[in-house]
Amino acid sequence: MAQLLVITVCYKSNSALSVLAESLNKQEITPSKWILIDNAPLSNPVLNLNTTFPVHIISGNEGDGFGSGCNAGLDLVYEMSFDGWVWLLNPDTYLSSSNHIENLLNTLDNVDYNTILGTAIEDLDHQLEQSAGWIRKGLGYRKSQITKESLPQKGRPGIEVDWVSGCNLIFQPSSFSTPLRFDHYFPLYFEDIDFCLRAKLHGGKCIWLDSLSISHQKSTGSECSLFRRERLKAISQIHFLCRYQPWWVTVAHTLRIIALALRRLPAQFASSRGTLSGIFQALFKHQY
């Protein structure tokens, strides 16, 4: 059976992280190692976790984004010459069944090595979250996503997609001739889509399965201000549009985002100001 290593990027995530740790501890087969990247080592460091398996905490840079944190974990994976599968799990996720990892490993035995795998993600009401899809050229570039209506029939191996969510992303780094890294150009959101699209250029493929699912305590994974979240989100979105869409789509979406932010500014000052600040930085400063 394959080996599995978990990477989790944390930013003021202690409350949610304890729930994930408990669910990993209850697994009949536990990870070979859990790598935690602490992106708030000065303001809110990760607390010691009582686990039945090895935990390695990497002290990241204060305020780094998800992609930079993942890269720090992947650097360690490559240094270890780890030949198994790596599972990126958000701190606000957890496994609801004790045999989840066992079922996942059994599934991975029948998956091509160059596959990036994602599984269903359910919210606390057991509703399917948007966690995979396809990228199209045009104004509705992200509208093609997995829904209940597009679920595979029983017995089918899954659905081939363009991207799966970085909240729950599984791949085998050693199966790619070129080491995979996240692009710091996307500080928050869109970094997982960019990661998958670039992996496909190197011969990889993305598969989404509904036979396995994890639970998601959405928006509890980090204590992040609205201003900061919306600023980083805007930076990532503008950069994604510039990289993957025609110029006219980029212009149209940018103008729409600005218009919405200005309209909401009186009632939602912090988030709207963050959006406008992020757009300015993405277009003119390229700083985070």
Side-chain angles (χ1 to χ4, degrees):
M1 187 174 286
Q3 283 188 305
L4 182 71
L5 181 152
V6 175
I7 292 178
T8 300
V9 178
C10 313
Y11 180 77
K12 302 181 180 181
S13 310
N14 282 311
S15 178
L17 201 59
S18 62
V19 178
L20 175 57
E22 183 179 359
S23 73
L24 291 173
N25 265 337
K26 291 180 177 178
Q27 294 298 301
E28 295 175 6
I29 298 178
T30 56
S32 59
K33 179 175 284 191
W34 190 12
I35 299 175
L36 297 170
I37 298 86
D38 184 2
N39 281 347
L42 302 177
S43 59
N44 195 338
V46 171
L47 301 176
N48 290 328
L49 298 167
N50 295 320
T51 61
T52 58
F53 50 89
V55 174
H56 186 109
I57 299 178
I58 297 175
S59 183
N61 296 316
E62 185 78 23
D64 267 358
F66 174 78
S68 296
C70 285
N71 286 343
L74 290 174
D75 286 342
L76 179 59
V77 169
Y78 286 117
E79 288 175 12
M80 293 166 51
S81 299
F82 182 71
D83 196 38
W85 293 83
V86 168
W87 191 4
L88 306 183
L89 272 181
N90 266 22
D92 55 356
T93 60
Y94 65 93
L95 313 181
S96 54
S97 66
S98 61
N99 61 348
H100 189 102
I101 290 182
E102 181 180 8
N103 292 335
L104 175 60
L105 290 173
N106 288 332
T107 299
L108 292 175
D109 284 339
N110 300 305
V111 171
D112 292 338
Y113 291 131
N114 63 344
T115 298
I116 294 178
L117 189 71
T119 73
I121 301 173
E122 295 182 347
D123 62 22
L124 297 181
D125 294 322
H126 304 291
Q127 296 299 308
L128 185 68
E129 292 189 359
Q130 295 178 340
S131 58
W134 302 267
I135 297 298
R136 303 289 184 257
K137 298 289 186 182
L139 294 176
Y141 65 98
R142 280 195 69 190
K143 287 187 176 179
S144 298
Q145 300 193 37
I146 294 288
T147 62
K148 284 187 175 181
E149 291 72 26
S150 61
L151 293 181
Q153 298 174 352
K154 290 185 178 180
R156 288 182 57 185
I159 301 176
E160 186 163 355
V161 293
D162 287 336
W163 63 272
V164 295
S165 172
C167 169
N168 170 37
L169 187 152
I170 306 144
F171 72 108
Q172 189 174 33
S174 62
S175 67
F176 291 86
S177 57
T178 300
L180 296 181
R181 292 288 194 284
F182 284 83
D183 193 338
H184 72 279
Y185 206 51
F186 305 92
L188 186 65
Y189 303 119
F190 293 93
E191 67 276 88
D192 45 6
I193 303 178
D194 171 74
F195 180 86
C196 292
L197 292 176
R198 286 187 291 107
K200 292 182 72 173
L201 293 177
H202 291 285
K205 59 182 178 180
C206 291
I207 300 293
W208 183 89
L209 297 175
D210 73 322
S211 55
L212 295 169
S213 66
I214 66 167
S215 299
H216 188 203
Q217 308 174 78
K218 195 171 184 178
S219 299
T220 64
S222 63
E223 298 175 11
C224 181
S225 69
L226 274 175
F227 174 83
R228 182 176 188 272
R229 186 182 298 276
E230 293 304 316
R231 179 173 64 86
L232 297 181
K233 176 182 177 181
I235 291 171
S236 291
Q237 186 170 6
I238 299 302
H239 284 170
F240 184 86
L241 289 166
C242 291
R243 178 172 292 183
Y244 289 107
Q245 292 297 316
W247 69 268
W248 61 271
V249 174
T250 301
V251 171
H253 271 287
T254 301
L255 292 176
R256 177 178 178 273
I257 296 168
I258 293 173
L260 287 173
L262 290 173
R263 190 179 73 183
R264 295 170 180 169
L265 188 61
Q268 302 174 22
F269 182 73
S271 60
S272 298
R273 191 167 64 92
T275 298
L276 295 172
S277 174
I279 291 172
F280 178 80
Q281 291 186 13
L283 293 178
F284 301 107
K285 288 188 174 182
H286 301 289
Q287 294 177 356
Y288 305 147

